[in-house]
Amino acid sequence: MALYDEIGHTYRRTRQPDPRIAAAIVHALGDVDSVVNIGAGSGSYEPPQTVVAVEPSRVMLGQRPPGSAPAAEAVAEALPLADDAVDAALAVLTVHHWSDVAAGIAEMRRVARRRAVFFTWWPERVADFWLLRDYLPAAAETDARLAVGLEELTRLLGDAELRPVPVPHDCIDGFAAAFWRRPEAYLDPEVRAGMSVFAKTDPTAVTDGLRRLEEDIRSGVWHRTHPDLLQQDALDVGYCTVSVDL
Ligand SMILES: C[S@@+](CC[C@H](N)C(=O)[O-])C[C@H]1O[C@@H](n2cnc3c(N)ncnc32)[C@H](O)[C@@H]1O
């Protein structure tokens, strides 16, 4: 069973596309006329030029809004498209789930004529995010094991352009670092259910770390420790677009 068939049931509730991140993705795509959206999930960040979405989880496919582009139940490593079928291949917050990143990138090159774009993160940078560093080192280890290093990604892509994408303080897409200025959100099981890093980390270590976080929020320790964060509107946590001309 695909992972998101287990953990994706509430995705659309906690993982709405954030317009500021959407703008960064649109910018990275440039003036392309047709797109395959790979690991499309429930359709977040899907640009209007999308001609087909590719997604292995039926639970995620079932949450695509009416009127979305046609979708195929398939994986990045074997895209159900002809050679040179589209201008661009897009992969948003998905490459860390692929079983064979090199095969997925070879497929993007095969089906796309002009551009490949990822929205992803630097695992080394995210490991320094306060939630993982101070409360959930086991989750940092999970991320280090599963995330795709940007060195590997850029080696496979060739001459890629990296652009940091700061996460707004009120980001409406509840991915792992989205609540950097709203620590209490991590105490909500439904919010955590939308973050795959929690599903893949030892639950005892998660419970223990979240108990400490809850105590630090209640006692005021968290707010006293992070006055700098409370002043910021957006934070560079290590998320970025990675794009390459093909
Ligand atoms: C965090 S979700 C991102 C979904 C969507 N792109 C978004 O930004 O909301 C990751 C998605 O990647 C999909 N996925 C997992 N393995 C995949 C693979 N090998 N090829 C393509 N997609 C995959 C999952 O089923 C899931 O829907």
Side-chain angles (χ1 to χ4, degrees):
M1 182 194 273
L3 173 69
Y4 276 81
D5 285 340
E6 294 170 48
I7 70 168
H9 292 276
T10 55
Y11 197 89
R12 194 101 197 138
R13 280 214 291 281
T14 61
R15 299 293 306 268
Q16 290 292 316
D18 186 275
R20 294 144 297 185
I21 293 172
I25 293 169
V26 166
H27 179 82
L29 277 169
D31 67 341
V32 295
D33 290 330
S34 54
V35 173
V36 53
N37 185 16
I38 303 167
S42 58
S44 292
Y45 305 108
E46 195 157 289
Q49 312 94 305
T50 301
V51 292
V52 62
V54 171
E55 166 57 46
S57 159
R58 289 189 182 181
V59 166
M60 297 297 270
L61 288 167
Q63 293 174 68
R64 291 173 61 75
S68 300
E73 186 183 332
V75 292
E77 296 86 338
L79 294 173
L81 279 84
D83 295 359
D84 295 327
V86 286
D87 275 352
L90 174 66
V92 176
L93 296 174
T94 179
V95 68
H96 55 294
H97 291 297
W98 301 358
S99 59
D100 186 338
V101 175
I105 289 176
E107 280 291 86
M108 291 169 93
R109 286 190 183 284
R110 180 182 67 76
V111 305
R113 295 180 291 263
R114 292 180 50 201
R115 205 152 166 81
V117 172
F118 292 80
F119 176 58
T120 185
W121 66 89
W122 268 277
E124 298 83 0
R125 297 279 316 280
V126 170
D128 200 35
F129 171 47
W130 62 259
L131 177 71
L132 303 193
R133 186 192 59 217
D134 300 341
Y135 296 96
L136 299 171
E141 282 170 28
T142 305
D143 193 61
R145 196 173 65 249
L146 300 177
V148 179
L150 286 200
E151 264 179 29
E152 181 187 358
L153 198 56
T154 51
R155 181 179 56 76
L156 290 166
L157 287 172
D159 196 13
E161 182 188 3
L162 269 65
R163 276 180 178 254
V165 179
V167 179
H169 74 93
D170 53 355
C171 182
I172 61 171
D173 186 352
F175 53 77
F179 301 97
W180 59 267
R181 214 181 91 174
R182 296 166 287 172
E184 55 291 336
Y186 295 110
L187 304 177
D188 181 339
E190 185 170 288
V191 168
R192 292 198 304 276
M195 301 169 180
S196 62
V197 70
F198 282 102
K200 294 188 169 184
T201 300
D202 170 28
T204 313
V206 170
T207 306
D208 177 56
L210 292 176
R211 198 179 297 126
R212 286 190 296 110
L213 175 61
E214 186 170 18
E215 171 57 22
D216 283 356
I217 295 169
R218 197 192 52 72
S219 65
V221 164
W222 188 91
H223 289 77
R224 280 200 299 280
T225 312
H226 298 289
D228 51 325
L229 293 184
L230 298 169
Q231 306 298 322
Q232 295 187 55
D233 291 334
L235 187 70
D236 180 359
V237 193
Y239 288 78
C240 57
T241 56
V242 182
S243 47
V244 68
D245 285 326
L246 302 175

